[in-house]
Amino acid sequence: MNILIINSGSSSIKYQLISMPSERVVCEGLIERIGSENAILKYSTDTSKLEETQAILSHKIGLLKIADLLLDPSLGVITNAAEIAIVGHRVVHGGKAFSDTSLIDASVKEKIKNLFSLAPLHNPHNLEGIELAEEIFPNAKQVAVFDTAFHHSIPEVAKRYALPKKFYENKVQVYGFHGTSHKYVSEKAIEYLQLKSSKIISIHLGNGCSMTAIKDGKSIDHSMGFAPSNGLIMGSRSGDIDHAVIFYLVETLGYTLEQVNELLIKKSGMLGLTGFSDLRDIQTEAANGNQDCILALQMNTYRIKKYIGAYAAILNGIDAIIFTAGIGENSALIREMVCTDLEFMGITLDTDKNNTRSKTLLEINKKGAYVKVLMIPTNEELEIAKQAYRLINV
């Protein structure tokens, strides 16, 4: 059974065609820097590989290019759309409506649309991908896997805001995000560590960034909340900010609420601090002495450290911390800056191991370290495929 996985991020699309139940990857690829004239398109199979830089100004254009590659007479891996049995979609916000994987119908699409305001960088692209996949692969079953589902285990003490109870009853709470990724890598860590009980901090660092405190395989706290906008400093999102700043921007500086929303979600974070949203550019500039970029890296990793301390407290100790996703897997500098001066917690990094490139789980702490520091490549696409396959075949 061929399952096509579409994983739309805020500025990227990862995709894989996976044969299930063997879990064999037939093809895979990535589109990065969507919205720019210099987007990067990657596509690979067992026999071919393509990488191009071109203008991809929207997620829709990117999705159409993916479909063209899959069906391409020379590079493609299918001859017609009917060969795709299931299209599995990552959907960022499921609210209280979705606690598990769901077969997509008109009602599901409407609920995803109703959550646009809570995940404006993601849910619209997720729904766009669903609707486009319905057109291109009309015979395939469309399945949604929600980022928020893994975090339904967060206890009330952690997911409630200090607001009157009526707001909680009206669905104002912590939902949590990147759940598919946090679930996948934490399960890999538990398997690797061979622990019957475990205390793990999972650090997902990409254009969007989040951290999860995971006890015995279950999410018990998370850095994002009602929407995927608070917590860590991200590519273009500010992360945690004093809400009084919003009132100051509106009442004193004359911003509209719409302008404030755009500022905090699309023009802040690393982009606002440096003028760059891609960490690779920021690291290059920092190495060349750009003080704004140096400070931004310091602020970014400082925030991560604060959350490590907080989650160590609520977990009552740590067995392991995990770095994952595009930045977490590839930036030795970020990992080093995060782990520096955490020796008192038992976190010590082996410099040589940290600078080793790996496509599989890598333990990068010093030998004998009390806390294991793991780099684990996330595979949201495989996790989505497994959940979609189970849903259709159970």
Side-chain angles (χ1 to χ4, degrees):
M1 177 183 287
N2 284 330
I3 302 181
L4 175 63
I5 306 302
I6 302 294
N7 181 350
S8 294
S10 55
S11 63
S12 66
I13 304 172
K14 290 191 285 186
Y15 61 96
Q16 288 187 13
L17 182 62
I18 301 175
S19 178
M20 294 294 288
S22 68
E23 300 183 5
R24 182 176 71 88
V25 178
V26 179
C27 80
E28 61 184 331
L30 170 68
I31 302 177
E32 298 179 280
R33 302 184 182 186
I34 292 173
S36 94
E37 296 285 341
N38 298 305
I40 300 169
L41 171 64
K42 297 179 181 179
Y43 171 85
S44 65
T45 69
D46 289 338
T47 58
S48 60
K49 190 172 184 178
L50 173 72
E51 182 170 341
E52 295 179 348
T53 299
Q54 56 183 273
I56 300 178
L57 301 180
S58 70
H59 281 69
K60 183 174 183 178
I61 292 171
L63 288 163
L64 289 170
K65 286 186 179 292
I66 292 167
D68 288 343
L69 284 168
L70 293 173
L71 292 160
D72 186 90
S74 58
L75 296 174
V77 291
I78 57 174
T79 56
N80 64 76
E83 294 177 38
I84 303 296
I86 301 173
V87 182
H89 301 268
R90 174 203 179 202
V91 180
V92 165
H93 211 312
K96 284 190 173 181
F98 301 103
S99 59
D100 210 344
T101 305
S102 298
L103 189 65
I104 296 170
D105 57 18
S107 172
V108 170
K109 288 193 289 184
E110 186 61 28
K111 289 174 182 175
I112 293 171
K113 188 174 183 179
N114 289 339
L115 293 164
F116 275 12
S117 62
L118 302 188
L121 293 182
H122 299 87
N123 271 36
H125 300 316
N126 300 153
L127 182 59
E128 186 176 44
I130 290 167
E131 292 176 337
L132 196 59
E134 287 175 332
E135 293 177 21
I136 299 170
F137 306 105
N139 298 320
K141 291 181 170 64
Q142 308 288 328
V143 173
V145 176
F146 296 89
D147 268 10
T148 47
F150 179 59
H151 300 296
H152 273 250
S153 56
I154 293 176
E156 190 171 345
V157 68
K159 70 182 177 184
R160 283 280 297 267
Y161 292 112
L163 297 170
K165 188 175 182 180
K166 65 179 180 180
F167 293 100
Y168 179 65
E169 292 169 346
N170 280 286
K171 304 176 183 178
V172 178
Q173 63 169 68
V174 169
Y175 287 103
F177 300 91
H178 295 137
T180 306
S181 175
H182 289 297
K183 179 177 186 293
Y184 177 84
V185 297
S186 62
E187 288 176 352
K188 287 290 184 184
I190 291 168
E191 179 184 5
Y192 173 75
L193 297 169
Q194 298 184 333
L195 296 173
K196 291 183 179 179
S197 60
S198 57
K199 300 172 182 179
I200 293 171
I201 298 175
S202 176
I203 309 171
H204 177 108
L205 303 176
N207 193 54
C209 303
S210 69
M211 291 173 60
T212 304
I214 301 169
K215 186 173 183 179
D216 300 333
K218 295 186 180 297
S219 171
I220 64 166
D221 206 346
H222 182 73
S223 60
M224 288 176 166
F226 182 63
S229 55
N230 65 306
L232 305 182
I233 297 171
M234 300 176 236
S236 65
R237 286 168 267 176
S238 68
D240 288 341
I241 190 169
D242 184 344
H243 59 263
V245 172
I246 296 171
F247 295 100
Y248 178 77
L249 291 170
V250 173
E251 296 171 359
T252 304
L253 300 185
Y255 281 70
T256 65
L257 286 175
E258 184 179 355
Q259 288 172 328
V260 172
N261 189 53
E262 183 177 15
L263 170 68
L264 296 179
I265 293 175
K266 296 182 179 181
K267 296 181 178 179
S268 296
M270 300 300 276
L271 176 63
L273 290 169
T274 69
F276 303 96
S277 62
D278 192 297
L279 190 85
R280 290 165 293 193
D281 297 328
I282 295 167
Q283 288 189 179
T284 298
E285 287 291 317
N288 291 331
N290 185 316
Q291 293 301 309
D292 289 337
C293 291
I294 292 170
L295 177 61
L297 291 171
Q298 292 170 340
M299 291 173 63
N300 186 304
T301 52
Y302 179 83
R303 184 78 57 87
I304 296 169
K305 283 186 177 186
K306 287 176 67 174
Y307 272 91
I308 289 174
Y311 289 168
I314 66 165
L315 287 166
N316 190 25
I318 319 170
D319 293 310
I321 62 172
I322 302 168
F323 289 95
T324 193
I327 293 170
E329 294 167 27
N330 295 300
S331 178
L333 176 64
I334 290 293
R335 295 193 297 261
E336 179 183 354
M337 292 178 71
V338 168
C339 293
T340 298
D341 295 332
L342 293 181
E343 296 89 349
F344 77 100
M345 298 180 73
I347 297 172
T348 56
L349 205 62
D350 184 301
T351 302
D352 290 337
K353 291 179 181 177
N354 185 47
N355 288 314
T356 301
R357 303 282 292 186
S358 177
K359 293 185 178 180
T360 58
L361 184 152
L362 184 66
E363 184 178 323
I364 58 176
N365 51 271
K366 287 183 178 179
K367 187 176 181 180
Y370 180 73
V371 176
K372 302 300 182 185
V373 181
L374 307 176
M375 188 287 294
I376 305 180
T378 192
N379 196 335
E380 293 169 302
E381 293 74 34
L382 177 57
E383 182 64 32
I384 292 167
K386 288 161 68 174
Q387 293 188 37
Y389 182 80
R390 283 198 297 268
L391 177 70
I392 298 302
N393 288 280
V394 170

